[in-house]
Amino acid sequence: MSKLFRAVIMGPPGSGKGTISERIAHNFGLKHLSSGDFVRENISAKTEAGVLAKTYIKKGLLVPDHVMTRLLLPRLVEMTKYSWLLDGFPRTLAQAEALNSACDLDIAINLNIPLETLKERLRHRWIHPASGRVYNMCFNPPRVQEIDDITGEPLIQQEDDRPEALVARLRHYKDVAKPVIDFYKAKGILYTYSDTETDQIWPNICTLLSTRIPTIQSDARCASTP
């Protein structure tokens, strides 16, 4: 790849960001950078920012902007030789502005999924807390019910994925994400995709990336599966 390519992907919980990100990384050679992975790595390594993040997470609070930027931006600045896709950051306008001051983005992908689809997906979502691996009992189930495929440890369903908390969680996401979406729209790099199925969205994203990363363009890459 002659020119480095940097992108972010945004979407509410259950929108398929992880699945789309894996397909982009697999088909276009971008590094998939997950903000959740960065947080877990820093907590495990007991860095100053990781310890600080853990105090918020243990209280059930979102990690604030100044901590998230301390966790992520130094790592991104180090990756001067790589093209990447950032998943899970920025979540707020302050984070988007901080990222903008550190890196020039090529595109921002926004997944706009209907509320009823999100509710149905999250109702069946279970996670492995230590790694962040996500399973869906309908279309991506673990080999053994409620057990992580890799470690054999139990899976959990997050409290805020439960129906009674879900609508408020999605409403909060929409309120916080709108300024970020407007920010990238004003910069002319926002691409929004809407559908109820990831396999319907993927070919359109793949076509976009094929035009922006022509050195590895291939029709076969835009099939519905990696």
Side-chain angles (χ1 to χ4, degrees):
M1 207 180 300
S2 57
K3 178 184 178 298
L4 294 177
F5 188 85
R6 273 76 185 269
V8 297
I9 184 167
M10 303 177 293
S15 61
K17 292 190 303 295
T19 299
I20 292 290
S21 296
E22 288 172 5
R23 291 182 184 182
I24 291 173
H26 176 80
N27 289 293
F28 290 94
L30 273 64
K31 284 190 172 293
H32 175 201
L33 308 179
S34 163
S35 63
D37 288 346
F38 282 165
V39 171
R40 283 184 287 272
E41 288 169 8
N42 275 268
I43 290 174
S44 178
K46 297 183 180 179
T47 66
E48 183 180 350
V51 170
L52 193 54
K54 187 176 181 179
T55 63
Y56 290 96
I57 294 170
K58 286 181 70 175
K59 296 175 183 176
L61 301 173
L62 291 174
V63 180
D65 294 336
H66 71 279
V67 179
M68 287 300 299
T69 53
R70 284 176 62 187
L71 285 170
L72 269 76
L73 293 189
R75 289 284 297 275
L76 295 178
V77 170
E78 290 173 3
M79 301 187 70
T80 55
K81 298 180 181 179
Y82 299 99
S83 293
W84 45 253
L85 172 71
L86 184 53
D87 164 14
F89 184 96
R91 294 181 186 271
T92 67
L93 180 59
Q95 292 177 12
E97 290 172 338
L99 178 61
N100 185 63
S101 69
C103 306
D104 292 325
L105 293 181
D106 293 280
I107 64 170
I109 297 169
N110 178 43
L111 303 179
N112 181 29
I113 310 300
L115 176 61
E116 289 304 314
T117 300
L118 295 173
K119 288 165 66 176
E120 183 64 19
R121 289 180 182 178
L122 292 173
R123 190 164 66 88
H124 298 288
R125 184 165 82 162
W126 292 71
I127 70 166
H128 178 241
S131 69
R133 276 186 291 277
V134 176
Y135 297 87
N136 185 287
M137 295 305 174
C138 291
F139 57 82
N140 179 37
R143 289 192 291 267
V144 178
Q145 181 94 3
E146 299 180 17
I147 297 295
D148 179 51
D149 288 349
I150 308 299
T151 65
E153 295 171 345
L155 303 176
I156 66 166
Q157 188 171 41
Q158 292 178 302
E159 288 296 326
D160 53 6
D161 280 348
R162 299 181 187 277
E164 56 272 21
L166 193 52
V167 173
R169 182 185 181 195
L170 294 174
R171 186 180 296 118
H172 174 74
Y173 170 82
K174 186 176 181 180
D175 291 343
V176 173
K178 187 180 186 305
V180 181
I181 292 168
D182 291 343
F183 177 77
Y184 288 129
K185 186 176 182 180
K187 291 177 67 67
I189 61 171
L190 181 72
Y191 296 84
T192 295
Y193 299 92
S194 303
D195 209 292
T196 59
E197 297 292 337
T198 298
D199 283 352
Q200 297 301 315
I201 291 174
W202 168 243
N204 296 316
I205 293 176
C206 188
T207 298
L208 167 69
L209 294 177
S210 294
T211 64
R212 301 297 297 271
I213 314 174
T215 53
I216 48 177
Q217 182 175 354
S218 169
D219 291 341
R221 297 182 184 276
C222 296
S224 61
T225 55

